[in-house]
Amino acid sequence: MRVFYGKEMTLDKIYSPWKDSFRLLYTWKAEVERACPESFIEIDKETVQYKLRGKDKTKECFRRVFVSFKACWRGFLLGCRPYLAVDATALNGRFRGHLAAACAIDGHNWLFPVAYGVLETESLESWTWFLNHLKRAVGSVPGLVIHTDACKGLETAVENVFPGAEHRECMRHLAANVTKA
């Protein structure tokens, strides 16, 4: 453990502590907006109240982020099929959460990233937040098909945010639902 903590202290001195990285997120956002105008970057934070040695304190904590670069959302609108695959995967590291992504298929049948984000959890609230920002980026696409898996709250969020879009589930989850019946 002494070697581990020594390594952690050295990394903190070289790169600054992990807890300070939240403040750097706003610097990164400003730099992206300067270098690539019309990109969509939204950072959501929450104020947390806690007690320390009998005193009430508050601090701002990172909650979620949404990123869609101009080249990505514009490339989707100008050169991709009206199809979005939306999914998330768990982040297992010092900080927990879910990495969400919305991808399309381009003219060469290759995966085309449209947007990504980090969510605190897969829930109706966080998926609705992500999809609202996605809709702000891509707008209303005629004939849009959204393909998802059976994430908690994702199906309802798709129906609420993109009411005219056709929603499809992946075959693995459809097959699982059929075998349950």
Side-chain angles (χ1 to χ4, degrees), residues 4 28 72 97 113 130 135 166:
F4 173 79
W28 175 79
C72 294
F130 181 82
K135 186 169 186 172
E166 184 177 342

Side-chain angles (χ1 to χ4, degrees), residues 25-83:
L25 195 56
Y26 290 99
T27 306
W28 175 79
K29 176 184 176 184
E31 188 61 27
V32 169
E33 288 173 344
R34 184 194 64 76
C36 187
E38 297 181 54
S39 293
F40 290 90
I41 300 173
E42 292 295 326
I43 301 168
D44 190 22
K45 59 187 176 189
E46 63 183 338
T47 303
V48 177
Q49 296 180 348
Y50 64 98
K51 286 189 176 209
L52 182 65
R53 297 184 185 130
K55 293 184 181 179
D56 291 331
K57 296 193 174 219
T58 62
K59 67 178 178 178
E60 286 186 343
C61 294
F62 171 79
R63 191 168 182 197
R64 47 180 100 125
V65 65
F66 173 86
V67 179
S68 182
F69 299 112
K70 179 184 178 183
C72 294
W73 64 260
R74 198 154 185 266
F76 168 68
L77 294 175
L78 297 177
C80 292
R81 298 179 183 131
Y83 168 85

Side-chain angles (χ1 to χ4, degrees), residues 40 64-68 84-88 100-103 114-117 119 123-140 144-149 151-163 165 167:
F40 290 90
R64 47 180 100 125
V65 65
F66 173 86
V67 179
S68 182
L84 286 172
V86 180
D87 199 5
C103 297
V114 178
Y116 70 92
L119 306 173
S123 66
L124 177 61
E125 179 191 357
S126 56
W127 276 120
T128 302
W129 183 87
F130 181 82
L131 291 174
N132 277 324
H133 289 294
L134 180 63
K135 186 169 186 172
R136 226 179 87 216
V138 300
S140 296
L144 180 65
V145 175
I146 299 178
H147 186 123
T148 66
D149 65 357
C151 293
K152 184 176 181 184
L154 182 54
E155 184 174 350
T156 307
V158 168
E159 292 168 2
N160 292 342
V161 177
F162 291 97
H167 179 239

Side-chain angles (χ1 to χ4, degrees), residues 81-130:
R81 298 179 183 131
Y83 168 85
L84 286 172
V86 180
D87 199 5
T89 187
L91 296 173
N92 300 317
R94 185 175 288 204
F95 298 108
R96 307 281 182 198
H98 287 81
L99 176 65
C103 297
I105 303 291
D106 68 7
H108 297 291
N109 286 332
W110 293 354
L111 198 61
F112 188 86
V114 178
Y116 70 92
V118 176
L119 306 173
E120 73 279 15
T121 184
E122 287 186 293
S123 66
L124 177 61
E125 179 191 357
S126 56
W127 276 120
T128 302
W129 183 87
F130 181 82

